[in-house]
């Protein structure tokens, strides 16, 4: 994976209602990105998306799971998890995780 | 083999030896996990799709489960409305220490979404106050008394299940 690739965000069907049913979004890398800056960026295009995912600037809503390259960000650095080009982010309702 | 029993919400992919000879697939490096190891290492790759797509993945996965390269999997027979996901879920189980090998196989049979969930996380969500148990209670519109009984039963079940951390893990009722 190179720094030039986009960051890919995949949303579970139920969450894609907030993005006009787009389940996959490609986000350009700006440098120094972390999960929160990416969500703020997306929220500029899809209003309300961030509040659906974040309880605050530090916390993700309990009923939502966010994965970066397969790992739940609660085991990484939460909303401060650094991102790079080529990363794949999955956002799902926690209820879906078994 | 694919175990599809109408009375179960889930369709399972498990080794024949599990069905016919009681083989415990919850193991790592040839050894069954203890309760403590289960909580520390056991988990699953989770992904979504309609039931046709997941049935197709199950058929392709079955030979790998039979040769024990993948321990086991299960998927929803139909969408669970209460969870408002809008898709069926497939869980492919393995030990954390084996997960990249299992993922390599999954990626060759068409799985693209990569989400790892520890079983411990799922269990915590089915404990009293956990999101899944509370959703389940809400979906069944239980009275406060019935809901309390369900919470107490869940707590008792989990406590009993993990009382001896060095004992071999024997599985969870589905």
């Amino acid at each position: 994976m190179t720094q030039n690739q986009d960051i890919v965000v995949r949303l579970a069907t139920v969450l894609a209602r907030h993005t006009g049913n787009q389940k996959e979004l490609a986000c350009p890398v700006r440098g120094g990105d972390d999960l929160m800056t990416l969500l703020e960026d997306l929220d500029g295009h899809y209003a309300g998306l961030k509040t659906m995912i974040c309880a605050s600037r530090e916390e993700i809503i309990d009923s939502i799971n966010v994965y970066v390259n397969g790992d739940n960000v609660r085991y990484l650095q939460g909303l401060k998890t650094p991102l790079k080009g080529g990363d794949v982010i999955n956002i799902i309702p926690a209820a879906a995780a078994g | 083999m694919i175990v599809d029993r109408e009375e179960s919400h889930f369709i399972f992919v498990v080794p024949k030896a599990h069905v016919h000879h009681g083989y415990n697939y919850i193991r790592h490096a040839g050894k069954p996990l203890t309760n403590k190891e289960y909580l520390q290492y056991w988990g699953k790759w989770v992904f979504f799709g309609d039931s046709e797509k997941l049935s197709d993945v199950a058929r392709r996965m079955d030979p790998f489960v039979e040769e024990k390269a993948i321990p086991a999997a299960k998927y929803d027979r139909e969408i669970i409305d209460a969870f408002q996901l809008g898709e069926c879920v497939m869980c492919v189980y393995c030990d954390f220490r084996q997960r990249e090998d299992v993922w390599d196989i999954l990626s060759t049979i068409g799985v693209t979404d990569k989400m790892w969930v520890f079983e411990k996380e799922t269990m915590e969500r089915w404990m009293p106050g956990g999101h899944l148990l509370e959703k389940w209670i809400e979906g069944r519109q239980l009275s406060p008394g019935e809901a309390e009984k369900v919470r107490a039963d869940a707590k008792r079940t989990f406590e009993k299940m993990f009382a001896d951390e060095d004992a071999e893990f024997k599985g969870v009722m589905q």
Side-chain angles (χ1 to χ4, degrees), chain A residues 12-15 62-65 67 91-98, chain B residues 48 83-85 131:
Chain A
T13 300
V14 68
L15 303 179
D62 189 44
S63 59
I64 295 285
N65 282 359
Y67 298 84
I91 306 175
I92 66 168
Chain B
F48 312 122
F83 294 154
Q84 299 178 321
L85 177 65
H131 184 75

Side-chain angles (χ1 to χ4, degrees), chain B residues 33-156:
Chain B
L33 299 190
T34 63
N35 287 324
K36 187 181 176 184
E37 290 169 326
Y38 178 83
L39 292 175
Q40 188 174 358
Y41 295 116
W42 199 248
K44 58 214 174 191
W45 289 116
V46 172
F47 47 91
F48 312 122
D50 57 35
S51 61
E52 264 181 40
K53 177 190 159 184
L54 297 187
S55 296
D56 184 49
V57 172
R59 278 191 293 275
R60 291 197 220 177
M61 189 192 303
D62 192 25
F64 296 100
V65 172
E66 218 45 70
E67 69 184 38
K68 301 186 177 75
I70 294 177
K74 76 172 185 191
Y75 63 102
D76 293 328
R77 178 182 302 283
E78 55 193 30
I79 293 169
I80 301 178
D81 290 332
F83 294 154
Q84 299 178 321
L85 177 65
E87 288 178 284
C88 294
V89 182
M90 183 172 240
C91 302
V92 179
Y93 294 92
C94 65
D95 187 287
F96 179 80
R97 295 162 288 187
Q98 182 195 8
R99 71 174 190 161
E100 292 307 328
D101 295 335
V102 169
W103 173 254
D104 287 345
I105 296 169
L106 295 178
S107 62
T108 64
I109 59 173
V111 179
T112 53
D113 284 322
K114 193 178 185 190
M115 291 171 272
W116 174 259
V117 181
F118 283 105
E119 275 301 276
K120 192 181 175 193
E121 283 175 57
T122 304
M123 287 186 173
E124 282 166 355
R125 289 181 182 276
W126 282 104
M127 291 286 277
H131 184 75
L132 289 174
L133 185 64
E134 295 308 319
K135 266 275 194 219
W136 187 89
I137 288 169
E138 191 186 307
R140 272 163 184 72
Q141 297 177 319
L142 301 183
S143 69
E146 289 169 326
E148 266 319 299
K149 185 180 180 308
V150 167
R151 291 186 190 104
D153 286 349
K155 187 166 182 280
R156 202 166 32 248

